[in-house]
Amino acid sequence: MIRATDIPPTTDGTAVPVPAAVPRGHRREREQLRQRVLRLLHRAEGGVLWIEGPAGAGKSRLLASAAEEAAPAGALVLTGSGVAGQGMPPLAPLLEALGSTRCEPGWPYPEAGSPYEWLRRVEDGLRDLARDRPLVVVLDDVQHCDELTLLAVRLLTARLAGLPLLWVLAARSHLDVPAVESLRRDLLTERAVALDITPLDPDTVRLLVRDLLGPRAAQADQYLPLCGGLPGAVRQLCALLTSRTGTTGGTRAGEDPVAGAFAAHRLDQLTQPAKELVLIASALGDSLTVRHLSRVLGRDESALLRPLREVLAAGLMRAEQHHLAFAHPSVRDAVAATLPPPVRLSVRRRSVDLRLADGTPAVALAAEIAELAEPGDEHAIRVLEAAARELAPHSPATAAAHLRRALELSHDAAPRRMRLAARLIPLLWETGESGEARALAREVVQVPPDAATHARVCLELTRMGGRFPVAQAEAHLRRALGHRGVPQPVKDQLLSTTLLSRLLAGEAEEAGGALAGSLARARGTHPLNDLTQRTLRSMSACHRQRWTEALSHSDSVPATAAELDPAYGPALPEVVLSTVWRAALLGMAGDDTAAAELVEGGLADAEQRGRRAYLPLWRTARARLLLDGGRLPEAARELAAAGTGPHAPGTSAASEAAVLCTRARIAFHTGDDEGLEACSALAEACPEGEDRQVRRAGAWIAVLTALYRDETLTRHQLGAAAAHLRRGFLHATCLDAGDVVLLVAAALASGQRDMAAAAVEFAEERARLNPGLPLFAGAAAHARGLFTRDAELLAEAAEHHGAARPLLRARALEDAGECGAAADAATARSRFEEAFRLYTACGAERDSRRVHGRLRKLGVRLLSTAGAAPAAPEPEWRGLTRSELGVVRLIAHGATNREAAERLFLSPHTVNTHLRHAFEKLGVRSRVQLARLYAREVDSTAVSA
């Protein structure tokens, strides 16, 4: 209500001292208001000020500021506000205000007369008051005034325009009150002054909080986004924090009583339509369109304009170019927390249904549906299935999560659940969850819903490699291959993949007639089956040492893979194996560039798509290419990154054996004692295993170990290693063309010349069968030259290897130098020096030390250079072991412990141990003393020599 007073009352009508004006913000608006009051007092100029802003923007504070300016200077101030709700008589505020200035019977209301009679009396009363002194009418919450009061304001501002009467009116922005909108429009048309109250900037808000809370101001920081820059909201927040000391700190509105209470307070300041709009919007996410919001609310978009403008003005939401968004995520959380959970779920379900009906892809809604669905929701299960099908090529982990949720929802429907599980199995295996995949496959195979699903799960188990996790695996395969209800393409692929798996594992020994007969049974023409069969024929050709034929069979691998689904094709195990195999063959042929392109592309796809099952395979292939190219440190790092081992995803016994052989080769060249010892220990257990490929790999590592230790081998050991070489490949990795040279060397060192001769004949026959592959010709020449100690033949072998195989070239040059040293020391020296340079560039430190020793016997002392490794100490220097010497040499030349560990492929802990033992043996206490001793006794000796 309005009454005559010099001090504005509270909104409940009780007079209180005027609160201090807002000390922070709205400076421009306060100055405009002050200027109008001064003009009224000094020039007797009246007028109208229309103040507009959202609830809590500070309108009431500005009205109080107007009273503070006018009352002490002699103006009469009539203040008050409209009251929300019904029940007040028309014109009640004006009549009561004027009645308080008179002592006449009948005030505030006359005993008789119409409302228009009351309006006349209000007009007369205001005229009388304005004649005596300037008059200020301050009216707050205009939007809550009755229509007759609004009409009176409209008429009286015009009729009393010549009097010293200043009207200061305040209303909320964007209200759905036609009478108030009409009044505002008419007043502004007649040159009333409008003051729009905007939110405070963040710095001003923080200063205001500091004024209100003092040293506790930091408690409000996490809630300030909820205030929208409105000073009234900031004061309410500070009041809540003061009254709820010790209850702040929740990270989400639902857990934080301050945020919840504050959100409820802000919602109460909105009209009902605006409140409903923002509540429903809070359940729909951080951004949404007006069209979608209108459909969820069940209203026309035009009906949302007014409440939406109110919400935007209140700072709760903002309008982006194409959608609506909450002012801050914490605002949405706080508002959503005021909704009962069942209401939130219901709104979100309706939103999802509407978006699905509009054609929104299942992928975009699957996560939401997975959260909202209840057990037995068939519609949700279908959507999750569709989303998983679409996501599988790009994000198998997400697709697996959707199918897992579909399984949970369908727990009461056994056949449906089994079919979902069959689709989930390959995704689990692909993403590295091989244990869960096998367990689920065992469950489905034992109780399949139909023959087709049973066959598909058998196919997935075959693709995983290894043995079936169920008894009578052969019976399951025969059942799948013989059932009429299984599609022929599935049968064909199951047969081809089974053969491939057995060939990789070393079970299909007869690679000729038996394999050809099995392949003839596969009648399908599907590209995947064709690809698998070509890979089988290629591997069979390698087993027969027809490597040129093997290459021709694999020529179409990229083209055939492209015929498959371009998105999901790279995810199929047959495609991955075929591509890795093709890369291995290209590396054997010397085309390292093409091989690297295939490997890099496959590795990038596996890393980007999260196909963890394939990472060990691709990284092993890359490590092998690096090893062949003489990049030993990089190859070692690649194997370490592969993470292979008994529990690594995507590994089988044969693939682990391939990794083990590659690791042993690296340790053999670099002088990694511990690494080779570890490989040897694992290899010793290989002969006990059931996998023939693994047993042969163990025999080959025994050859490397014997050569490393200068030990002899038995005929049985040499025969097993020869069988490994004749096999031609290990899992999807081709054997190195130069391995036959190491076998010849081991046989000769063991006194088994007949076995060495057989190995030479094998190498020469292999080269004869593959005339277009220079690596085989080089290996044959090397093996024959080593057997006959023909230095020139060995030098010819080095030329065959060329720059593409620096380790093989260096070994041939080293052997040529050794065999020709007695006849031509100068030529031997140049060959040793070239071998030393190649070994050093490759990081083959053990080989470098060996050649360095050969050069010393010829009287050559090599100086340390930037491009070569530091001179190695004599093996007997001060009683240090070979491993300790390797560490000491690097540390003495400035390497850190970690750098030494990386170069020697040791752990930092092992380097520390070797260094501690060396300190004790050498009698030094610091790295500086160690470096001085090494320089004096080793480096200086090498230089003087």
Side-chain angles (χ1 to χ4, degrees), residues 3-9 16 18 64 67-68 70-72 74-79 133:
R3 63 188 64 199
T5 178
D6 291 336
I7 299 176
V16 296
V18 178
E68 285 184 327
L76 178 63
V77 181
L78 303 180
T79 65
R133 54 176 169 166

Side-chain angles (χ1 to χ4, degrees), residues 704-740:
L704 295 178
T705 306
L707 289 172
Y708 192 88
R709 298 171 178 170
D710 295 327
E711 298 174 349
T712 60
L713 294 168
T714 65
R715 292 184 65 84
H716 175 73
Q717 289 174 314
L718 289 170
H724 171 71
L725 292 185
R726 286 194 299 271
R727 176 76 179 176
F729 62 92
L730 179 57
H731 196 246
T733 303
C734 298
L735 300 186
D736 190 275
D739 283 349
V740 67

Side-chain angles (χ1 to χ4, degrees), residues 449-639:
D450 52 67
T453 301
H454 173 262
R456 288 190 173 91
V457 175
C458 287
L459 174 59
E460 297 302 337
L461 281 171
T462 305
R463 285 169 166 168
M464 294 180 201
R467 300 188 177 278
F468 271 31
V470 291
Q472 299 179 333
E474 291 296 328
H476 280 286
L477 287 174
R478 288 194 299 271
R479 174 184 168 188
L481 292 171
H483 201 287
R484 294 182 178 179
V486 178
Q488 188 62 41
V490 176
K491 291 182 179 180
D492 293 338
Q493 192 58 37
L494 177 58
L495 175 60
S496 299
T497 305
T498 300
L499 292 172
L500 179 61
S501 177
R502 291 177 177 177
L503 194 62
L504 291 172
E507 298 175 13
E509 287 301 313
E510 295 297 329
L515 179 60
S518 298
L519 290 176
R521 292 170 52 198
R523 301 184 298 276
T525 59
H526 191 275
L528 181 60
N529 189 44
D530 178 65
L531 179 73
T532 309
Q533 292 191 37
R534 287 178 181 273
T535 301
L536 282 166
R537 290 187 172 92
S538 179
M539 289 183 167
S540 176
C542 288
H543 184 61
R544 293 180 283 111
Q545 301 307 315
R546 267 63 173 181
W547 292 87
T548 304
E549 180 185 339
L551 272 167
S552 66
H553 281 307
S554 71
D555 283 345
S556 62
V557 166
T560 307
E563 294 181 38
L564 302 170
D565 181 347
Y568 196 62
L572 294 171
E574 296 92 331
V575 175
V576 174
L577 284 169
S578 298
T579 307
V580 170
W581 175 248
R582 170 68 178 168
L585 288 174
L586 290 171
M588 177 65 72
D591 193 351
D592 293 341
T593 300
E597 287 179 359
L598 291 177
V599 171
E600 294 301 326
L603 182 58
D605 178 82
E607 290 176 334
Q608 291 170 5
R609 310 296 187 191
R611 293 170 177 149
R612 296 181 60 239
Y614 302 134
L615 288 177
L617 188 61
W618 286 118
R619 291 194 179 279
T620 302
R622 180 194 265 179
R624 175 55 191 276
L625 289 176
L626 292 170
L627 170 61
D628 291 344
R631 298 158 66 180
L632 294 172
E634 295 175 62
R637 286 194 293 270
E638 199 63 39
L639 284 182

Side-chain angles (χ1 to χ4, degrees), residues 916-931:
R916 185 173 65 252
H917 293 164
F919 274 26
E920 294 172 356
K921 292 179 181 180
L922 299 175
V924 297
R925 296 183 179 181
S926 69
R927 299 164 71 94
V928 174
Q929 292 178 340
L930 173 66

Side-chain angles (χ1 to χ4, degrees), residues 21-370:
V22 180
R24 304 290 182 185
H26 297 154
R27 183 176 301 171
R28 180 181 60 83
E29 290 82 356
R30 290 202 310 273
E31 182 59 28
Q32 284 184 272
L33 185 57
R34 177 175 175 274
Q35 292 298 328
R36 292 307 301 256
V37 171
L38 291 176
R39 288 166 63 182
L40 171 68
L41 296 173
H42 299 301
R43 302 180 187 177
E45 292 183 8
V48 180
L49 282 177
W50 180 272
I51 300 175
E52 186 174 288
K59 300 185 297 298
S60 298
R61 292 277 170 160
L62 282 176
L63 297 181
S65 175
E68 285 184 327
E69 291 286 346
L76 178 63
V77 181
L78 303 180
T79 65
S81 66
V83 179
Q86 305 295 326
M88 296 300 295
L91 289 176
L94 295 176
L95 290 172
E96 290 185 357
L98 290 173
S100 66
T101 65
R102 299 166 180 255
C103 296
E104 302 177 7
W107 284 92
Y109 299 104
E111 296 180 359
S114 66
Y116 294 100
E117 177 65 21
W118 303 344
L119 175 58
R120 185 186 60 78
R121 298 189 65 181
V122 170
E123 180 181 352
D124 292 343
L126 291 175
R127 285 183 185 276
D128 292 342
L129 292 174
R131 289 192 188 100
D132 297 334
R133 54 176 169 166
L135 179 62
V136 179
V137 178
V138 178
L139 183 57
D140 199 1
D141 288 332
V142 173
Q143 71 276 1
H144 295 319
C145 291
D146 62 275
E147 292 192 8
L148 191 55
T149 300
L150 297 176
L151 177 60
V153 171
R154 172 67 188 89
L155 295 175
L156 296 176
T157 53
R159 292 176 181 176
L160 305 178
L163 300 176
L165 171 57
L166 177 64
W167 297 81
V168 184
L169 312 173
R172 291 187 188 175
S173 305
H174 306 299
L175 292 170
D176 189 13
V177 182
V180 177
E181 290 293 330
S182 177
L183 173 63
R184 175 184 180 276
R185 183 174 59 253
D186 291 344
L187 292 178
L188 295 180
T189 301
E190 296 179 1
R191 299 185 179 179
V193 177
L195 294 180
D196 289 327
I197 310 302
T198 57
L200 303 179
D201 62 82
D203 291 336
T204 304
V205 169
R206 283 190 287 271
L207 290 173
L208 179 57
V209 171
R210 191 180 65 185
D211 292 340
L212 295 170
L213 292 181
R216 297 175 52 201
Q219 295 180 6
D221 288 347
Q222 62 180 314
Y223 305 106
L224 292 183
L226 300 174
C227 298
L230 303 177
V234 173
R235 287 189 176 83
Q236 177 66 22
L237 170 63
C238 293
L240 282 169
L241 290 172
T242 301
S243 63
R244 295 174 179 265
T245 302
T247 63
T248 62
T251 57
R252 291 188 59 83
E255 304 168 357
D256 191 335
V258 171
F262 184 64
H265 169 75
R266 292 208 62 190
L267 290 174
D268 288 341
Q269 293 178 317
L270 301 175
T271 61
Q272 189 59 33
K275 181 178 180 180
E276 181 182 347
L277 182 148
V278 75
L279 282 170
I280 297 301
S282 70
L284 301 179
D286 289 326
S287 65
L288 68 159
T289 64
V290 175
R291 179 177 179 273
H292 184 64
L293 182 59
S294 69
R295 295 182 66 195
V296 173
L297 289 167
R299 299 180 186 176
D300 292 335
E301 294 177 32
S302 59
L304 299 184
L305 294 181
R306 290 185 181 275
L308 182 56
R309 282 200 296 265
E310 183 181 352
V311 171
L312 295 175
L316 294 172
M317 300 184 73
R318 64 178 186 272
E320 304 289 352
Q321 185 174 3
H322 300 293
H323 62 272
L324 301 172
F326 277 84
H328 192 274
S330 61
V331 176
R332 187 190 71 83
D333 290 343
V335 173
T338 63
L339 277 174
V343 176
R344 281 203 305 271
L345 289 176
S346 178
V347 171
R348 292 181 64 190
R349 288 192 188 107
R350 176 168 170 74
S351 172
V352 168
D353 291 341
L354 287 171
R355 282 179 282 167
L356 281 173
D358 287 341
T360 302
V363 171
L365 300 174
E368 235 181 313
I369 290 174

